[in-house]
Amino acid sequence: MLIGTPPAAPPPTQGMSDDERRQCLIAVVDDDPFIREALVSWLAFEGLHYAAFADAESLIAVAQTHSQHMWLPCVTDGVMRPVYGAVLDFNLTGLNGLALAHTLVEQQPSVVVVLISAALEQELRLHGTRPAQVAYLRKPFELDALAYALLGTIA
Amino acid sequence: MIDSRTTLLIAAFLYLVLPIAVLWMLWRERDRVHLYWALASVCMALGILLISLRHVWPDWLTYHAGNTLLMSSFLLWAQALKRLRASAWPLPTLAACVALCTVIYSVIDWTVSESVRGASMRVVMGSLAMYVAAQAIHLAQATRSANATAIGVSFGVTGLAFVWHGLVVATGNDPNPFSNTWNASLLGLAGLVTAVTCQLSFVGLTLDLYAGDRVQYRTDTLVKKQTLQLQQQMGAMERQSSLRLAAASLAHEINQPLTAALTNAQLAQRALSLPEARLHVANQMLDKIADNAKRADHILTSIMDASESKTVQLTTVDVASCLATALEQVQYDLQRDQVSVVFNPALHHHPCSASPLELSQVFVNLLRNASQALRDQPIRHVHIWSEVQADTLSVGFDDTGPGLSFDAQPNAPRVFQTNKADGLGLGLTICHTLLERMHGHLTLHNLAQGGVRAHVMLKTPSAEVA
C-alpha cells in the first residue's frame, strides 16, 4: 500500500546502472534522530552510501565546502560521492524540506527527492509547488513505497 | 333643550357603572392604573350626585365635598394616565394635590359670592380637565394610540365646556349646572359623552399598551433564546476546534516514533526474509522499535501531565450558587430536550469545600448527561436534592431516564464507557477526576422507580479543617 503519491515522473534511473548508483550517495535530512537512524539503517541494509543531517543548513554548508556542489562525504567511509537522491523531512528547523528540495533540484536536475511529512499533501501544497522529481510520502510510510520512490524498484 | 339634570344624573350613573366594566375587562392585568381610573370615575359620580342633593343636604356636604370629589377625580384620571407614561406622582404628592383642591375650594367658598364661586369652580374644573387632556395627548404621542387621543379630545371638550360655562355664568346667568339652561345642558352632555368615551377608550388604550408589551416580551424572549442558542453553538464549535487542534498536535507528536518504528519493523522483516536471515539487524531493529514505543508513551504521559493541573484551590462554596451557575449553562440543553428540573435554590444553601469552577463543571456534566438520557423518554424530569450528614454534603441528581446499562454502578465510571450513541464517555471521567481533586466522590446507580441517581459527595468546610 502506498501512502502519499509516487513521483510525477519516474526516477531518472535511466543511464545509471545499479552499480553506478551504488557509487553515489543518498542524503537523509530529518530533525528527528529516531527517524534519521531508522532511515540510515535501511540504507545501510540496502548497501547504499548515505549522509545524514538534522537540518537543511548543515547539508548546504557541507556541500558548499566542496568545489562540486552536489558531492557529499559518505558517513561510513568519508569518501566524497555525488548525490543520487535525498530523503527530506518537510518540517525542519530553518529552511524547510521543500525549499531544500528546490535547491537540490536546481543544482542537479537528475536528483531524486522524497519529501516525508506528517502533514497531508494538500497542506504541503500551501507552502509551494513540488518539482516533478520530488515525491511525497506521508508519515508513517511503507518502506516499499520509499524504496520505489527513491530507487524505482521494490527492493 | 336637553334636561341637564337628567343628563348629569345619567352621566353619574355611567361613571358609577362603567368602571365596574373596566375593572372586569382589565382584571387579568392587575395594575394599579385601573384602580386609579375607576376611583376617579367613582369620585366624579359621587361628586355629581352630592351636588344634585344640594337642596336636601347641607352645603358643606354637598358643595364642599362634591367639588372636592370632582377635583380629585380629575387628579386621579391624570394620575392613571401619568402612570401609563411611567411618570406618576408619588402617593404623598397626589394626596397633597387633593388637599390643595380642598383648600382652593375653601378659599373660594369663603372669599367670593355664590355666583362667582360657581363660575370660579367651573374654571378650575375646566383647567383640571384640560390638564387630564394634556396628559392623554402626551400619551397618545408616545404610544401612537388612537384611544389615548379619544380620551384627550373628550377631556379637552369637557374642559372647554366647563370654562365656557364658567365664563357665561360670570356674566350673570344662573350658576347652577342643574338649571336646564342650554349651557348647563351642554356641560351635562359633555360629561355624559366623556363618561362613555373615556371608559371605553381607556379599556382600548390599556389593551393596546399591554398588547405592545406582550409583543415586546415575546420578542425579547425569542432574542434571548436565540442568543443563548448561538452562544451554545459557538461554545460547542470552540470546544470542537480546540479538540481538533489538540488532536492534530498529538497526532504530529506521535507520528514521529510511529514512523521510525514502522520503518524499523519493515527493515526487520526484510532482514528476516532474506535467504540467509540477518538476525543481528532484526534484533537491532526490534530494540529500536521498543525504544520508539517508549518514546511514544513518554510523549503521551508528558501531554497528560501538562494538560492536568493536579491541585485546585479549595474554598468554601455555596452549593446553591454552583447549581444555579450550572443550570444556567445547561439551560439550552434542557430546553432542547424539554427536560424540567425541580430545583429550589433556597433548599441548597449548604457550604462545602470545593473549587466553584470545577464544581459547576461537574454539575454541568451530570445535568447534560441527564438531559441527553431523558431526550426520548415520555417523562423528562430531573430532581435535584441535597443533604448534610456529619461532615459530608450530598448533592443528588435523580432523573426519570432509562437507567444505566453498564454495571459501573458501585464503582467509579471508566473512560469511554457510555450509554450514549454519540458520546465518548469522557464526561463522567472528567467529573470523577474533578471531584477527586476536591476530595469528593461520585457514584451512579439505578433508582428502584427507574432512572439514574448521580450522587455527588463533598466535604463540608469543617471536615476539611479537621
Side-chain angles (χ1 to χ4, degrees), chain B residues 17-89:
Chain B
V17 173
L18 285 176
I20 298 170
V22 169
L23 284 179
W24 178 70
M25 278 187 269
L26 299 176
W27 189 244
R28 279 176 51 216
E29 311 296 348
R30 289 172 195 279
D31 195 319
R32 213 184 286 170
V33 173
H34 314 134
L35 290 179
Y36 281 131
W37 190 269
L39 194 61
S41 304
V42 172
C43 285
M44 176 57 81
L46 291 179
I48 295 171
L49 289 175
L50 279 176
I51 293 174
S52 73
L53 291 170
R54 68 202 181 285
H55 299 308
V56 187
W57 287 345
D59 269 9
W60 65 265
L61 183 58
T62 53
Y63 275 124
H64 210 133
N67 277 305
T68 307
L69 281 171
L70 291 183
M71 285 187 281
S72 306
S73 70
F74 285 116
L75 290 173
L76 286 167
W77 271 317
Q79 170 78 344
L81 293 170
K82 283 169 90 73
R83 200 180 157 86
L84 284 176
R85 279 171 54 220
S87 63
W89 288 308

Side-chain angles (χ1 to χ4, degrees), chain B residues 120-369:
Chain B
S120 315
M121 277 323 294
R122 253 145 271 169
V123 173
V124 171
M125 299 284 179
S127 313
L128 284 172
M130 293 221 240
Y131 179 70
V132 177
Q135 295 303 320
I137 296 294
H138 272 310
L139 191 63
Q141 280 171 341
T143 61
R144 300 183 170 276
S145 162
N147 286 307
T149 315
I151 294 176
V153 170
S154 46
F155 269 103
V157 170
T158 310
L160 285 175
F162 263 117
V163 173
W164 170 260
H165 197 239
L167 295 176
V168 168
V169 167
T171 58
N173 283 351
D174 190 339
N176 190 347
F178 294 92
S179 60
N180 278 350
T181 55
W182 69 271
N183 44 37
S185 300
L186 181 68
L187 188 59
L189 199 60
L192 183 66
V193 170
T194 306
V196 178
T197 318
C198 289
Q199 305 292 342
L200 296 182
S201 297
F202 180 73
V203 173
L205 171 66
T206 41
L207 290 183
D208 282 354
L209 291 178
Y210 288 127
D213 281 355
R214 269 190 213 109
V215 170
Q216 185 67 40
Y217 175 76
R218 258 181 235 149
T219 317
D220 287 351
T221 320
L222 195 68
V223 166
K224 221 169 146 187
K225 201 171 145 191
Q226 283 176 343
T227 312
L228 192 70
Q229 212 167 333
L230 270 175
Q231 277 173 351
Q232 298 274 356
Q233 282 173 354
M234 277 171 68
M237 275 161 68
E238 265 167 32
R239 279 198 296 279
Q240 269 179 9
S241 71
S242 64
L243 194 64
R244 206 173 295 142
L245 268 179
S249 76
L250 184 65
H252 185 257
E253 291 295 326
I254 292 297
N255 219 312
Q256 304 286 50
L258 213 57
T259 305
L262 184 62
T263 309
N264 291 331
Q266 288 178 341
L267 184 52
Q269 280 173 342
R270 284 170 189 229
L272 291 173
S273 67
L274 288 176
E276 288 172 26
R278 288 160 70 178
L279 286 179
H280 73 282
V281 174
N283 271 333
Q284 246 179 11
M285 289 304 118
L286 287 175
D287 283 346
K288 284 186 182 168
I289 292 169
D291 287 348
N292 277 303
K294 279 179 202 154
R295 191 156 70 109
D297 178 55
H298 179 73
I299 291 169
L300 283 178
T301 318
S302 56
I303 287 175
M304 297 288 268
D305 282 350
S307 66
E308 171 177 330
S309 63
K310 279 177 178 155
T311 53
V312 289
Q313 191 71 38
L314 294 185
T315 53
T316 301
V317 175
D318 180 21
V319 170
S321 74
C322 272
L323 281 168
T325 314
L327 279 167
E328 227 166 72
Q329 284 187 47
V330 296
Q331 196 187 345
Y332 170 71
D333 298 65
L334 296 171
Q335 275 177 8
R336 181 197 55 204
D337 300 331
Q338 299 179 325
V339 173
S340 65
V341 174
V342 184
F343 172 66
N344 179 359
L347 298 177
H348 303 285
H349 284 299
H350 306 301
C352 68
S353 170
S355 154
L357 217 63
E358 263 85 0
L359 190 56
S360 303
Q361 187 59 46
V362 168
F363 292 158
V364 163
N365 282 346
L366 293 176
L367 284 165
R368 262 200 193 126
N369 278 354

Side-chain angles (χ1 to χ4, degrees), chain A residues 45-110:
Chain A
F45 178 83
E46 296 291 342
L48 294 164
H49 296 293
Y50 59 86
F53 303 92
D55 52 56
E57 283 80 0
S58 45
L59 182 146
I60 292 168
V62 172
Q64 279 175 349
T65 56
H66 304 279
S67 54
Q68 285 152 306
H69 275 184
M70 276 298 115
W71 285 54
L72 289 170
C74 177
V75 170
T76 43
D77 53 13
V79 177
M80 294 298 295
R81 294 172 197 279
V83 174
Y84 159 75
V87 183
L88 310 176
D89 182 26
F90 176 74
N91 274 316
L92 296 169
T93 46
L95 207 61
N96 71 30
L98 189 61
L100 179 60
H102 273 284
T103 315
L104 293 180
V105 169
E106 256 170 44
Q107 303 220 351
Q108 189 172 321
S110 70

